[in-house]
Amino acid sequence: MKKEIDQARAVPGKKFSLKDYDTIYKGDMEKEAGKAELDLTKEELSKLQETLYAADSHSVLIIFQAMDAAGKDSAIAHVMSGLNPQGCQVYSFKTPTSEEYDHDFLWRHYKALPERGRIGIHNRSHYENVLVCKVHPEYVLKEKIPGYTAVKNIDDKFWKRRYESIRNFEKHISDNGTVVIKFFLYVSKEEQKERFLERIDNPVKNWKFSSSDITEREKWNDYMNAYEDAINETTTEQAPWYIIPADKKWYARLLISQVLEHHLQGMDLKFPVLGEEESAKLEEIQRSLLLGG
């Protein structure tokens, strides 16, 4: 699926528009074949994760952003199901706490970065600060940033600086060994409506639905503009964005898993090689065990 991976990747310096992407795209793949391919990819991801852990030289940060009901949670559950939980950590970011508001907007996200050898998954991320906060600029006032005491003060220069902060943050962690991969699960407004109705109709899924979801849905166009701006401003060679067609969940999961496989393979990780002294000790222990020691 190299063609599909390349198509999904936003190109740095090239104007990005959601109009160029189809939420229902699935390539030439059919559902059953896609599920089988996903199983094979998860097996390969498991092997690559083991090498990542053993090499202990890099970490991987996977960011998921999307509108409500786009399938972030299920994508994380399915794609990561083949990985060793000891080598993964998932953070779901909610409204900042009072302590978090007393720090800069990147503070809580820096704290949640994965250690070397591990895969970190951020379900929503520091991008909420240029997405929901851009649609609702009044939220920025809670950060108590000097000079920004009213919504009218939050101008284009403010957002430019915030994008710059994000680029610098991602460059810094990338330079220090964290591979950053960002996914926008692009669901259509019609498909979101169907998933909302399913949540309402099914008592088991009622807990997933909130009246605030409808409030945010009414700002759909504002959110799409915010996503376009964020992706255009922050997709780089070191921290690329991938736009994942999300109307068909099975295809979204497959494409996400294969993007991850592509990046992990590209890291060219190797298992550590023992030195001569350690190898000699290992051979000695092996002989002892074989002789019944």
Side-chain angles (χ1 to χ4, degrees):
M1 289 179 65
K2 185 180 184 305
K3 180 185 76 172
E4 284 77 9
I5 292 173
D6 290 342
Q7 287 175 343
R9 183 168 180 159
V11 180
K14 180 180 178 181
K15 185 69 174 177
F16 161 77
S17 174
L18 286 173
K19 294 178 181 178
D20 297 332
Y21 293 83
D22 186 357
T23 61
I24 204 168
Y25 180 82
K26 64 178 183 63
D28 298 326
M29 188 72 67
E30 295 301 326
K31 187 172 183 177
E32 291 308 312
K35 287 183 174 180
E37 186 68 21
L38 176 59
D39 288 338
L40 293 174
T41 304
K42 285 194 289 188
E43 290 180 13
E44 182 62 22
L45 286 174
S46 178
K47 297 174 185 176
L48 290 166
Q49 182 200 15
E50 184 179 6
T51 313
L52 173 72
Y53 184 82
D56 196 32
S57 59
H58 293 75
S59 59
V60 177
L61 174 62
I62 304 166
I63 290 171
F64 285 94
Q65 291 287 160
M67 296 294 286
D68 293 315
K72 296 189 306 300
D73 292 346
S74 62
I76 292 170
H78 281 78
V79 174
M80 307 305 163
S81 62
L83 300 181
N84 185 337
Q86 293 185 88
C88 294
Q89 54 199 52
V90 181
Y91 287 89
S92 295
F93 291 96
K94 307 297 184 183
T95 302
T97 64
S98 58
E99 180 189 20
E100 289 165 346
Y101 271 131
D102 279 338
H103 292 80
D104 70 89
F105 78 95
L106 290 169
W107 180 74
R108 65 174 181 160
H109 304 285
Y110 198 94
K111 285 176 62 181
L113 291 176
E115 302 95 329
R116 284 187 176 83
R118 294 172 62 86
I119 296 174
I121 301 160
H122 288 188
N123 186 350
R124 301 192 187 277
S125 67
H126 49 285
Y127 280 95
E128 292 295 285
N129 295 277
V130 291
L131 295 169
V132 66
C133 286
K134 198 167 189 184
V135 176
H136 296 279
E138 64 274 15
Y139 293 170
V140 173
L141 304 182
K142 297 180 181 180
E143 299 178 38
K144 301 177 184 176
I145 303 171
Y148 295 95
T149 56
V151 168
K152 64 181 181 181
N153 302 136
I154 304 171
D155 54 10
D156 287 343
K157 290 182 179 179
F158 173 86
W159 297 116
K160 286 290 185 183
R161 286 196 292 270
R162 186 147 283 196
Y163 294 133
E164 182 180 17
S165 293
I166 289 174
R167 289 194 301 270
N168 290 340
F169 168 64
E170 293 175 351
K171 182 179 186 302
H172 172 69
I173 63 176
S174 177
D175 287 345
N176 284 275
T178 298
V179 173
V180 184
I181 310 166
K182 302 176 291 194
F183 294 109
F184 170 48
L185 275 61
Y186 185 28
V187 70
S188 67
K189 194 174 183 181
E190 181 62 28
E191 179 63 21
Q192 187 198 55
K193 181 180 79 171
E194 294 302 316
R195 294 180 187 179
F196 278 169
L197 289 171
E198 181 185 358
R199 290 179 178 183
I200 294 170
D201 290 340
N202 187 345
V204 176
K205 294 186 177 183
N206 284 173
W207 67 273
K208 288 187 173 184
F209 186 77
S210 169
S211 58
S212 63
D213 296 341
I214 296 301
T215 303
E216 297 308 292
R217 176 178 165 82
E218 292 171 355
K219 299 181 180 295
W220 185 274
N221 290 339
D222 293 335
Y223 272 106
M224 294 303 104
N225 290 335
Y227 270 107
E228 285 190 351
D229 289 344
I231 292 171
N232 273 315
E233 291 283 350
T234 63
T235 194
T236 64
E237 291 297 336
Q238 287 178 302
W241 272 105
Y242 289 89
I243 294 80
I244 305 296
D247 280 8
K248 297 184 181 296
K249 289 185 178 181
W250 65 266
Y251 180 76
R253 294 163 187 166
L254 175 62
L255 184 53
I256 289 166
S257 68
Q258 298 211 335
V259 168
L260 297 180
E261 180 185 32
H262 168 75
H263 277 275
L264 285 166
Q265 288 176 338
M267 293 165 70
D268 194 29
L269 298 168
K270 307 292 184 184
F271 283 104
V273 177
L274 296 179
E276 291 184 8
E277 185 176 344
E278 289 82 1
S279 295
K281 287 181 180 179
L282 204 62
E283 290 177 5
E284 183 180 339
I285 293 170
Q286 181 185 45
R287 286 195 297 270
S288 176
L289 288 171
L290 290 172
L291 292 172

